[in-house]
Amino acid sequence: MCGIIGYLGKNSALPILIDGLKRLEYRGYDSSGVALFLGGEIKTIKSVGRIKELEKRLQTLGVCERADPEGLLCNLGIAHTRWATHGKPTENNAHPHFDCSGKISIVHNGIIENYKSLKEKLEEKGHKFKSQTDTEVIAHLFEDLYNGDLTSTLQKTLKLLHGAYGLVLIHKDHPEKIMAAKMGSPLSIGLGDSEMIIASDISAIIMYTKQVIYLDDGEIAEIEKNNLNIFNIDNVKIEKEAQTVNWDIEEAEKKGFSHFMLKEIFEQPESIMNSIRGRIIEKTGKVKLGGFDSVSKKLRDINRIIITACGTAMHAGLVGEYMLEEYAGIPTEVDYASEFRYRKPIIDKETAILAISQSGETADTLAAIREAKEKNALTLGVVNVVGSTIAREIDVGAYNHIGPEISVASTKAFTSQVAIMVLMTVYLGRQRDMSLIIGQRIIKELLAIPEKIKKILELNDEIKKIAEKYIDAKNFFYLGRKYNNPTALEGALKLKELSYIHAEGLPSGEMKHGSIALIDKNFPSMFICPKDSVYEKNISNMEEVKSRGGRIIAIATEGDEKIKEIADDVIYIPKTLEMLTPILATVPLQLFAYHMAVLKGLDVDKPRNLAKSVTVE
Ligand code: G6P
């Protein structure tokens, strides 16, 4: 999501920090900031926009990197490039954040789930907050607990935080030290010659040193230019070996994956967790969605939802339709945003319009939302990019919190959008007839999804081999029923986008009404066929294909041996609730499309004719 860089050592910190920020910029760039030790004080400079805006600001203030080739200004600093999660992209919300005294400066990635309650307590004690971020709480909490020793104060501070963090902190009274801590958000330390570089991503480290220590969850580092001590939260010292990293810069940005798409597919266990984190109450089987709470009464009264979106986001909406109707009992329809804006939708005051958009900038989706607002409908959103136009124009929404998606073909955004549809279903369902037990069961299963995705990712090589078998096919059907009808549509879209192979997604039961005429041995079908309420029906449709000589790849539930008798190839996914199967079943389809494109030698991250964000009609 956001990017962190810190430096202390023999050289001037500023050029290294700016260079690091630029390398981290691909992870997010709505604002940035740097804190430096200057004349015994910590000076903080921030700016909204890209890093070059921060550079301009630094130059205006005379803190120019070229003016400091000898490191005269300072040899220690921390910096951050932000991709907003809590609070809009403004200068005040940009990192570094500081405490009341201005002695502590902190940069942070991740989400502090209990920041609101901590903030209230600190405000009662007289702390004054300047931003809307969760991060600022850490600085004030640290100030409140400060005992003169950075390590023990940080340990006490961290014990009070719930959530995820990769954080780096400096203190005016300790101009020789940088503190770092990790829980759920990456942080590494590069060990140079009389210098240390701390970064959330090794792409910002490896041009200075290839010797890197990766911090693990629960570890705290006390960093000086020639010395590094690592402790756990209970002050037990931890010995860690540096690792030699041989990646080049490009490999490092992709974390060693050959494409951003593959990296993003593999990020899904983590990205889904980031979308769920802090939003569920297991005990009461309920969901907290900050924005939604502010209109909870209105939401209780709605009796119809129209979901509007484009492309992959629309497919997530279709999964949402099944969930919202089955579990929240709310009549739901899904419409292409490009159609919604031109038809004459019947909207009354009990209708809510939900826009789903990764970028928050898709012109058709935006126009649909504006149309709905014209008609005085309550507008809701599921958006990934904080502060984007759709995010600003909807009444309330939930952010995905998955960080930037770089690959044009959407992967981690889709599974996150579906995860948020699950959260919305429980939220709205529990306002209505959904029982405590059902709410709890859905939440419990949703929490188990990231581990199950990890198991599917282990099948990557197997899926690649299957792709090799089918690489000559010119056409594909993708077939599924009920919850996995949208999965089939999404799988087909992925194959089309990436490999330029014609693929048609259809409800399995619809295929016999015409499309089946196309089936022959050269026209394979991908069946999404987990053990669910429509399993037997799907099997019958498979038989129809098989008897016409069509080859079949099946996505099936682990333990289903019977399916091997019909399908030519089977990819197994773990068992889960029927409503959650689209999240699991989509992962092998993403990998299959990815490998098909790689095998054809195509530009996976930037397929022809496509744009990541379509801001024209
Ligand atoms: C473009 C992208 C798709 C995406 C769609 C909607 O067509 O290529 O991957 O699903 O826009 O984008 P959004 O940002 O609104 O989710």
Side-chain angles (χ1 to χ4, degrees), residues 310-313 356-360 362 365 408-410 417 497 611-612 614:
C310 304
T312 289
I356 307 178
S357 175
Q358 187 286 128
S359 64
T362 302
T365 313
V408 168
S410 186
Q417 285 157 350
E497 284 179 300
K612 183 70 188 155
V614 183

Side-chain angles (χ1 to χ4, degrees), residues 151-265:
T151 305
S152 62
T153 309
L154 188 56
Q155 283 159 339
K156 280 194 209 154
T157 307
L158 299 180
K159 281 185 180 164
L160 298 175
L161 303 182
H162 301 162
Y165 49 79
L167 68 87
V168 174
L169 174 148
I170 54 175
H171 194 291
K172 179 178 175 280
D173 298 343
H174 301 266
E176 307 294 324
K177 268 188 193 162
I178 293 186
M179 299 300 298
K182 175 188 182 300
M183 180 61 76
S185 194
L187 214 51
S188 308
I189 304 167
L191 314 178
D193 173 17
S194 285
E195 62 181 358
M196 301 275 189
I197 304 111
I198 304 102
S200 51
D201 194 319
I202 59 162
S203 59
I205 296 179
I206 53 176
M207 71 294 278
Y208 304 106
T209 173
K210 302 272 186 200
Q211 294 299 304
V212 175
I213 287 190
Y214 294 92
L215 286 185
D216 285 313
D217 280 352
E219 291 179 348
I220 295 168
E222 195 184 73
I223 307 154
E224 293 171 51
K225 76 174 177 192
N226 286 314
N227 201 13
L228 171 67
N229 289 308
I230 299 173
F231 301 92
N232 72 7
I233 202 157
D234 296 316
N235 208 32
V236 177
K237 198 156 187 268
I238 298 167
E239 298 301 333
K240 291 190 82 125
E241 293 270 315
Q243 296 184 30
T244 309
V245 180
N246 287 319
W247 290 347
D248 63 25
I249 296 289
E250 211 190 294
E251 278 173 317
E253 284 182 350
K254 292 177 188 150
K255 296 231 167 72
F257 288 101
S258 36
H259 298 93
F260 280 110
M261 181 185 177
L262 193 61
K263 170 179 163 282
E264 285 159 7
I265 292 173

Side-chain angles (χ1 to χ4, degrees), residues 22 180 225 237 239 260 268 275-276 281 307 317 400 405 437 478 489 510 535 545 583 590 611 617:
K22 285 184 183 160
K225 76 174 177 192
K237 198 156 187 268
E239 298 301 333
F260 280 110
Q268 289 177 111
S275 300
I276 309 172
I281 316 164
I307 301 177
N400 293 90
E405 192 178 59
I437 303 294
Y478 277 67
L489 304 186
E510 181 60 23
Y535 174 76
V545 169
I583 304 183
Q590 296 167 342
E617 235 192 293

